[in-house]
Amino acid sequence: MSQGDRASGAADGGVRVRPGGSARALSEAYDTALLDLDGVVYAGGQAIAHAVESLAVARGGGMGLAYVTNNALRTPDAVAEHLTELGIPTGAADVITSAQAVARLISEQVPSGARVLVIGGEGLRVALRERGLVPVDSADEDPAAVAQGYGGPDMAWGRFAEACYGIARGVPWFASNTDLTIPSARGIAPGNGAAVEVVRIATGAEPQVAGKPLPPMHKETILRTGAETPLVVGDRLDTDIEGAFNGGVDSLLVLTGVTDAAQLLAAPPEHRPTYVDVDLRGLLAGQPEVEELQGGDGGFRCGGWTAVAGDGELRLEGDGEAVDGLRALCGAAWSVAGEGVCELDAGKVVARLGL
């Protein structure tokens, strides 16, 4: 049982009703951080504020760092080189990709040496070769599987047709991940999930999917890192946090990426993180307790803030660190929502916090 379990925040029955607390720094309470990249470590290719320094301190204190990405385009070597250039010394073995997860999934279902039709980039080809499989480019080369991963903005339309030809012949179809979007330096672009939808619409088939938030990706990270008390660190509720939920491990949501305060307050149980913090400095500190107030009025306190759910809205009183106010609001919102989602108006309180 992890430190996060002991500090809980889950009600009887396992539904999380408030963020958990930890008397110890998270970098001491967990042996390995499983870190998402985009929105957590970097954005637009540049390091996010405080990321480099925070990871250096966590690593120096003995915490293992692994970088877990649904992007199947780049190889682990390329990702490690990029992180090292940003000032985060990283080896290829520290990087786990959805390409590796889907390659393992395929290798468990087809013979060693089998051909695999690749609809994607170099990262997917390298991962397939690592598992003893042979990447090919045509459905006419007798593939045993079709593997689809993000191929970048220049992927030719004809590659999707090739996937359809193979699937129509009864070849099993695998996808690295189904993220509909991917961040870029110019904004949000179509991700592998959008490309998967093209093939799905054309064939009516359903792929086996490996990436976050599904179990094959979590299995891959644990096998490669050997983590015993891992902490998933991410910015997306529907991949990072849900993946931790599915894997039965604790998670830290950082507010440097796509998830905003309103989305967090409306999160269903599988999207509720164990901890919430502003950025990766949260790894280096304990997490404050979110206390339920006595009296049954739905109130929760964290730091100098008190949050209450009622009369059709969420209310917030007090002052202090904005993230403490958000933690208190999570308690009020998640508690009233139970196994559902909170539909109370949170506009005023979110605006007050400025998050």
Side-chain angles (χ1 to χ4, degrees), residues 90-138:
T90 307
D94 302 322
V95 179
I96 299 96
T97 73
S98 64
Q100 293 171 324
V102 78
R104 186 183 299 273
L105 186 62
I106 294 169
S107 72
E108 293 170 345
Q109 300 181 42
V110 305
S112 178
R115 298 183 180 90
V116 177
L117 174 58
V118 175
I119 313 300
E122 185 62 16
L124 187 52
R125 294 175 181 273
V126 168
L128 289 167
R129 293 190 191 103
E130 182 185 28
R131 299 253 67 87
L133 302 171
V134 180
V136 298
D137 293 316
S138 172

Side-chain angles (χ1 to χ4, degrees), residues 215-254:
M217 188 67 167
H218 182 69
K219 173 184 176 181
E220 192 71 20
T221 62
I222 299 304
L223 286 172
R224 288 180 179 270
T225 64
E228 296 183 0
T229 55
L231 178 69
V232 170
V233 185
D235 70 308
R236 297 184 70 118
L237 300 180
D238 60 348
T239 54
D240 306 317
I241 306 308
E242 185 176 341
F245 176 88
N246 290 338
V249 300
D250 289 348
S251 60
L252 167 66
L253 178 79
V254 291

Side-chain angles (χ1 to χ4, degrees), residues 159-222:
R159 300 308 300 153
F160 304 139
E162 205 64 42
C164 294
Y165 302 148
I167 294 165
R169 298 172 187 178
V171 177
W173 176 30
F174 298 81
S176 64
N177 67 295
T178 52
D179 296 16
L180 292 174
T181 61
I182 188 169
S184 75
R186 296 177 60 193
I188 299 299
N192 191 56
V196 167
E197 285 302 309
V198 171
V199 178
R200 190 200 311 267
I201 291 168
T203 63
E206 291 288 336
Q208 294 185 52
V209 183
K212 297 183 284 187
L214 297 173
M217 188 67 167
H218 182 69
K219 173 184 176 181
E220 192 71 20
T221 62
I222 299 304

Side-chain angles (χ1 to χ4, degrees), residues 18-338:
R18 62 183 183 274
S22 175
R24 302 165 63 195
L26 298 184
S27 58
E28 298 173 358
Y30 298 87
D31 67 2
T32 307
L34 306 178
L35 296 129
D36 184 47
L37 288 171
D38 284 308
V40 175
V41 178
Y42 55 63
Q46 300 301 310
I48 288 173
H50 309 295
V52 174
E53 301 86 349
S54 298
L55 292 173
V57 173
R59 183 177 57 248
M63 188 181 215
L65 304 178
Y67 303 94
V68 185
T69 177
N70 261 358
N71 190 331
L73 177 60
R74 294 196 295 170
T75 65
D77 282 310
V79 174
E81 181 179 358
H82 179 203
L83 289 170
T84 300
E85 289 173 352
L86 293 177
I88 306 168
T90 307
D94 302 322
V95 179
I96 299 96
T97 73
S98 64
Q100 293 171 324
V102 78
R104 186 183 299 273
L105 186 62
I106 294 169
S107 72
E108 293 170 345
Q109 300 181 42
V110 305
S112 178
R115 298 183 180 90
V116 177
L117 174 58
V118 175
I119 313 300
E122 185 62 16
L124 187 52
R125 294 175 181 273
V126 168
L128 289 167
R129 293 190 191 103
E130 182 185 28
R131 299 253 67 87
L133 302 171
V134 180
V136 298
D137 293 316
S138 172
D140 295 335
E141 295 181 76
D142 194 28
V146 175
Q148 185 171 2
Y150 183 64
D154 298 324
M155 177 175 279
W157 187 257
R159 300 308 300 153
F160 304 139
E162 205 64 42
C164 294
Y165 302 148
I167 294 165
R169 298 172 187 178
V171 177
W173 176 30
F174 298 81
S176 64
N177 67 295
T178 52
D179 296 16
L180 292 174
T181 61
I182 188 169
S184 75
R186 296 177 60 193
I188 299 299
N192 191 56
V196 167
E197 285 302 309
V198 171
V199 178
R200 190 200 311 267
I201 291 168
T203 63
E206 291 288 336
Q208 294 185 52
V209 183
K212 297 183 284 187
L214 297 173
M217 188 67 167
H218 182 69
K219 173 184 176 181
E220 192 71 20
T221 62
I222 299 304
L223 286 172
R224 288 180 179 270
T225 64
E228 296 183 0
T229 55
L231 178 69
V232 170
V233 185
D235 70 308
R236 297 184 70 118
L237 300 180
D238 60 348
T239 54
D240 306 317
I241 306 308
E242 185 176 341
F245 176 88
N246 290 338
V249 300
D250 289 348
S251 60
L252 167 66
L253 178 79
V254 291
L255 302 176
T256 48
V258 301
T259 299
D260 61 28
Q263 292 169 328
L264 178 60
L265 296 176
E270 67 272 18
H271 290 174
R272 297 172 189 168
T274 313
Y275 309 107
V276 179
D277 221 314
V278 175
D279 53 47
L280 284 177
R281 287 176 294 181
L283 281 176
L284 308 179
Q287 294 288 309
E289 293 289 343
V290 179
E291 302 173 286
E292 184 172 8
L293 302 180
Q294 300 301 312
D297 61 355
F300 287 81
R301 179 188 295 118
C302 185
W305 299 94
T306 299
V308 178
D311 298 326
E313 64 179 1
L314 292 170
R315 301 192 301 276
L316 185 67
E317 297 179 354
D319 57 28
E321 295 289 336
V323 70
D324 283 341
L326 180 58
R327 292 171 178 135
L329 284 166
C330 284
W334 299 349
S335 180
V336 75

